[in-house]
Amino acid sequence: MSSCERPWSDKQNERDCQFDQIVGSSPALEFVLADVERVARTDSTVLVLGETGTGKELIARAIHNLSARRGRPFLKVNCAAIPFDLLESELFGHEKGAFTGAIAQKIGRFEMADTGTLFLDEIGDLPLALQPKLLRVLQEQEFERLGSGRTHRINVRMVAAIHRDLAQMAARNEFRSDLYYRLNVFPVLIPPLRERVEDIGQLVEHFVEVFSRRMGKRIEHIPETTMNAFLAYPWPGNVRELQNLIERAVIRSDDGVLPNPFPTPRQENRMPPIASRSTLRDQEAALILETVRAAGGLIGGRQGAAARLGLKRTTLVSKMKRLGIFRLRQRPMIAFHEGSELRI
């Protein structure tokens, strides 16, 4: 039985349950959760901002769970996943015969979420033609179903999310500025995983427990080298990418030890150790050097080091320069990092 299934013993346990599945205790994450607690007590519209894979839906659910609307409906609509010609009906519903194929009345998500919370993910993909109708719902809490002249009044708390810069979209007339200002009442910015490195260890242990239990495996040990690889990686896909890599590692584990899911060199060509790897900078440099070696010295291309690390070629080159990693144009390739040499 999880802690959230047991009776709450104190305020800290209650807080943990309300932030269920949000793992970490870094200052950056704690700042976000403090904002979530503040705004959840209100009915204000919240705009959740953050890169792909940072956990925007978990934050939206936490806002709902901490609010007076907990126990009421929490519904999610991904505006990018529903075709344009179906999205209006999905949000607002339609009457029978409203359009070809409308063989029965349909209740939309706004009605279904009445008295609760509606989470609109990827709000930037909402078609311009639908934005005035959404603005009206936010301002007046009323709408009409497709094919009906009857006005429906609702009481819905709106939480929206986007991974792009909505202000820039509004400035380029790709999104209505009046709707942007109405959505941007209380922005909550989720930091990327690379800015909350302190949470990586907790996240690794959390996902190892989740997937080992799901697969019926027992993971008893996470090697230091494996954990160092997780700490050094820049995580362009954020927590979602970490989750996927842990799942891959658990699948490959046969001896109770969590293997390193990153590309690794063959045993006989393993890179000599860098003098000191006590800092995150050194760990990141070590991972890049190992990946460059595994890629045969290639930086770009499908099999290059950048693709293996999930980075753009220009981003990896910039990181290598910042870390003092240099490549000489000769064969065999030699890479240097602050006095350490790697032959490929």
Side-chain angles (χ1 to χ4, degrees):
M1 182 181 291
S2 72
S3 62
C4 292
E5 294 171 325
R6 295 192 293 266
W8 290 341
S9 58
D10 51 38
K11 289 185 177 180
Q12 181 60 44
N13 192 31
E14 179 177 351
R15 184 177 188 269
D16 291 342
C17 291
Q18 290 163 334
F19 288 125
D20 189 27
Q21 298 184 57
I22 299 178
V23 178
S25 56
S26 64
L29 182 61
E30 288 294 329
F31 180 84
V32 171
L33 299 187
D35 261 358
V36 167
E37 288 185 296
R38 291 187 189 97
V39 74
R41 294 189 290 264
T42 74
D43 269 338
S44 298
T45 301
V46 180
L47 182 61
V48 184
L49 308 166
E51 296 178 6
T52 298
T54 49
K56 294 186 284 294
E57 182 178 349
L58 291 180
I59 292 296
R61 287 185 181 276
I63 291 170
H64 175 74
N65 292 339
L66 287 161
S67 74
R69 297 174 184 264
R70 62 183 176 273
R72 302 287 184 169
F74 175 88
L75 276 74
K76 171 190 172 182
V77 176
N78 188 325
C79 298
I82 301 175
F84 169 79
D85 54 347
L86 298 179
L87 186 56
E88 183 173 7
S89 173
E90 186 70 25
L91 291 175
F92 305 108
H94 64 252
E95 298 293 343
K96 179 179 179 181
F99 52 84
T100 302
I103 59 175
Q105 183 189 76
K106 175 183 173 65
I107 303 299
R109 296 298 182 96
F110 273 102
E111 280 185 85
M112 295 168 64
D114 193 21
T115 73
T117 303
L118 182 63
F119 173 48
L120 293 186
D121 199 7
E122 297 301 343
I123 190 68
D125 287 284
L126 186 74
L128 283 168
L130 281 185
Q131 292 180 21
K133 199 164 184 176
L134 178 60
L135 181 62
R136 180 188 174 195
V137 176
L138 286 170
Q139 292 178 336
E140 309 296 337
Q141 291 278 292
E142 62 181 31
F143 68 96
E144 288 88 34
R145 293 184 196 138
L146 275 170
S148 171
R150 179 188 169 193
T151 297
H152 294 266
R153 293 198 60 82
I154 52 170
N155 175 15
V156 173
R157 204 267 180 81
M158 173 81 71
V159 179
I162 188 171
H163 73 278
R164 292 181 284 170
D165 190 326
L166 199 57
Q168 287 189 8
M169 292 181 65
R172 295 192 299 264
N173 295 320
E174 297 171 1
F175 196 88
R176 288 182 63 108
S177 58
D178 50 358
L179 179 56
Y180 163 68
Y181 292 124
R182 187 64 185 81
L183 288 169
N184 196 38
V185 174
F186 194 91
V188 173
L189 177 60
I190 308 176
L193 189 53
R194 63 182 173 275
E195 293 180 8
R196 37 180 290 224
V197 178
E198 307 96 317
D199 293 335
I200 291 176
Q202 293 181 55
L203 285 161
V204 169
E205 292 175 357
H206 169 74
F207 288 125
V208 166
E209 180 183 354
V210 168
F211 290 116
S212 60
R213 184 172 61 248
R214 186 178 300 173
M215 299 176 195
K217 291 191 171 186
R218 186 177 181 86
I219 306 296
E220 299 176 338
H221 178 59
I222 303 175
E224 182 179 356
T225 53
T226 298
M227 184 62 80
N228 286 341
F230 285 124
L231 292 171
Y233 186 62
W235 299 112
N238 293 292
V239 178
R240 185 180 298 132
E241 183 182 12
L242 172 62
Q243 177 181 342
N244 292 341
L245 277 178
I246 294 296
E247 182 175 6
R248 179 191 307 170
V250 172
I251 291 171
R252 288 177 172 169
S253 175
D254 295 319
D255 55 1
V257 177
L258 188 76
N260 185 346
F262 294 102
T264 55
R266 291 190 300 271
Q267 185 72 28
E268 63 272 17
N269 291 326
R270 189 160 294 171
M271 183 191 74
I274 293 176
S276 172
R277 297 189 185 179
S278 59
T279 67
L280 289 175
R281 173 187 172 89
D282 290 336
Q283 293 165 8
E284 184 177 10
L287 177 62
I288 290 175
L289 281 171
E290 290 170 359
T291 307
V292 170
R293 192 222 60 80
L298 294 175
I299 300 298
R302 291 184 178 181
Q303 302 300 320
R308 293 175 183 228
L309 290 170
L311 300 173
K312 293 181 179 178
R313 180 185 179 281
T314 53
T315 302
L316 178 56
V317 170
S318 176
K319 280 181 174 291
M320 291 175 68
K321 290 180 179 179
R322 176 173 57 82
L323 293 168
I325 300 173
F326 304 99
R327 299 169 65 244
L328 302 182
R329 296 183 179 276
Q330 62 184 62
R331 291 293 183 268
M333 194 200 88
I334 303 176
F336 292 95
H337 170 246
E338 298 179 350
S340 296
E341 177 180 304
L342 168 64
R343 290 185 177 272
I344 297 177

